[in-house]
């Protein structure tokens, strides 16, 4: 990966354009997507099973990582 970044830099390309930025969402925002109910998200947060970053008391969840986590859980069944 480091080699690819160096090659892109030498070509004058923006190496961040292909990188996906994390989509950080609150519990209420994720619940509004219909992915999971708010109470289930809060329970997972309490158990420490969510990819979360705290800003003060507000929990921001990485939506893409949460989707990946749920897909992996679905694959094991």
């Amino acid at each position: 990966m480091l080699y690819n970044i160096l090659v892109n830099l030498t070509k004058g390309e923006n190496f961040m354009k292909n990188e996906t930025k994390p989509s950080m969402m609150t519990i209420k925002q994720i619940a509004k997507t219909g992915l999971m109910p708010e109470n289930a998200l809060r329970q997972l947060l309490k158990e420490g099973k969510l990819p979360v970053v705290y800003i003060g008391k507000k929990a921001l969840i990485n939506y893409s990582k949460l989707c990946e986590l749920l897909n992996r859980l679905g694959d094991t069944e």
Side-chain angles (χ1 to χ4, degrees), residues 15-75:
F15 67 95
M16 289 299 288
K17 70 179 178 184
N18 293 331
E19 298 291 324
T20 56
K21 296 179 185 175
S23 177
M24 305 302 283
M25 301 171 74
T26 64
I27 288 176
K28 287 185 180 188
Q29 289 171 329
I30 293 174
K32 285 181 182 178
T33 66
L35 182 66
M36 292 180 73
E38 191 174 332
N39 60 342
L41 288 164
R42 291 193 187 284
Q43 183 63 37
L44 289 173
L45 180 67
K46 185 178 179 182
E47 294 172 7
K49 296 181 179 178
L50 291 178
V52 65
V53 173
Y54 286 95
I55 305 296
K57 291 184 178 182
K58 185 173 287 262
L60 295 176
I61 300 164
N62 186 323
Y63 184 74
S64 341
K65 294 286 183 186
L66 175 61
C67 290
E68 288 175 19
L69 175 71
L70 293 174
N71 282 333
R72 280 190 305 228
L73 290 175
D75 290 342

